[in-house]
Amino acid sequence: MSDLPHFTQATRELTKQYTKALDQAARELGRKGTPEDRVDWEQVNQRMAEWWKQQGYRFP
């Protein structure tokens, strides 16, 4: 078990920053091409877990 606090305990300002980072990651990791292409959410989640870790929180 990690000693880091859970991301749900983050400040409102940090949560707003997370929303922006999530949107950016989804856009960057979105597959370009046909309309059938989708965002690779597994990669997005991995990136967001790393982002939260850098902020000092564990995710999820």
Side-chain angles (χ1 to χ4, degrees), residues 6-55:
H6 195 261
F7 78 101
T8 56
Q9 297 173 329
T11 64
R12 183 172 288 181
E13 183 59 35
L14 195 56
T15 302
K16 287 179 183 179
Q17 291 175 24
Y18 163 74
T19 302
K20 290 177 184 177
L22 175 62
D23 183 55
Q24 181 179 352
R27 289 176 189 267
E28 289 175 7
L29 296 172
R31 299 180 187 136
K32 312 286 189 285
T34 67
E36 292 80 27
D37 285 341
R38 301 286 189 257
V39 173
D40 186 343
W41 289 108
E42 185 175 336
Q43 284 187 339
V44 172
N45 284 336
Q46 290 173 359
R47 187 178 284 189
M48 293 299 90
E50 184 60 34
W51 186 89
W52 277 112
K53 186 177 180 182
Q54 291 171 358
Q55 308 307 315

